[in-house]
Amino acid sequence: MRRAIILTILIASITQAKIITIIDNGIERKIAIATAPDGVSARMVEKRQKSIIIAFKKGVNVDIESFSQKYKIKLEKKLSSINYYIFSNKSQLSDIELIAKISKENKHSIKSIRPNWGFNNRPR
């Protein structure tokens, strides 16, 4: 009986999540982003346009101005000590869709790309 309850909870949690792929230090990682079930009032972080963090590989020269124009993002801050760039999302895509597009098209030049959502930013 206990196993059945645990299995039911596990299946329910899997069906209420959206899987996104980020790149962290050159390694692709899958992250589950929780979504709210139908009829539930929730703050949906994946639909808001916030910001993303990108780090480029060493030795790769990227023109930040043309990169930001291509993906309709705006450079907010450069963390010069660790070579990370924080961009605000000005495109029509959600942060998740934009990350997927950028990582797919620039796989060989990006060291890390992820949403800049902070910790525990999930639907309530």
Side-chain angles (χ1 to χ4, degrees):
M1 182 67 174
R2 188 175 184 187
R3 287 184 182 173
I5 292 172
I6 292 172
L7 183 61
T8 304
I9 292 172
L10 180 63
I11 290 171
S13 67
I14 291 172
T15 59
Q16 298 301 321
K18 185 175 186 176
I19 306 296
I20 65 166
T21 302
I22 65 167
I23 300 175
D24 184 26
N25 277 334
I27 300 170
E28 288 189 1
R29 300 188 191 280
K30 307 280 186 198
I31 296 177
I33 302 295
T35 57
D38 292 337
V40 175
S41 176
R43 181 173 51 113
M44 300 300 291
V45 295
E46 73 242 19
K47 295 192 178 184
R48 292 191 301 165
Q49 311 302 331
K50 297 234 6 176
S51 62
I52 59 175
I53 298 175
I54 301 175
F56 297 100
K57 292 180 180 177
K58 289 185 179 181
V60 176
N61 292 329
V62 177
D63 182 17
I64 300 298
E65 184 69 30
S66 64
F67 184 82
S68 61
Q69 288 177 357
K70 179 179 180 181
Y71 294 107
K72 296 183 176 106
I73 53 180
K74 180 182 175 192
L75 179 64
E76 293 295 325
K77 186 186 287 187
K78 179 185 178 192
L79 305 173
S80 60
S81 61
I82 55 175
N83 289 328
Y84 277 72
Y85 297 87
I86 299 176
F87 292 96
S88 61
N89 184 359
K90 303 294 183 188
S91 70
Q92 296 297 320
L93 302 173
S94 70
D95 290 346
I96 294 171
E97 295 168 330
L98 184 62
I99 288 171
K101 181 179 180 179
I102 292 172
S103 63
K104 186 177 184 181
E105 294 176 2
N106 300 288
K107 191 176 243 183
H108 300 292
S109 62
I110 290 182
K111 176 183 169 187
S112 296
I113 183 169
R114 61 184 173 83
N116 188 23
W117 292 345
F119 298 109
N120 297 324
N121 198 356
R122 305 267 171 122
R124 298 173 199 231

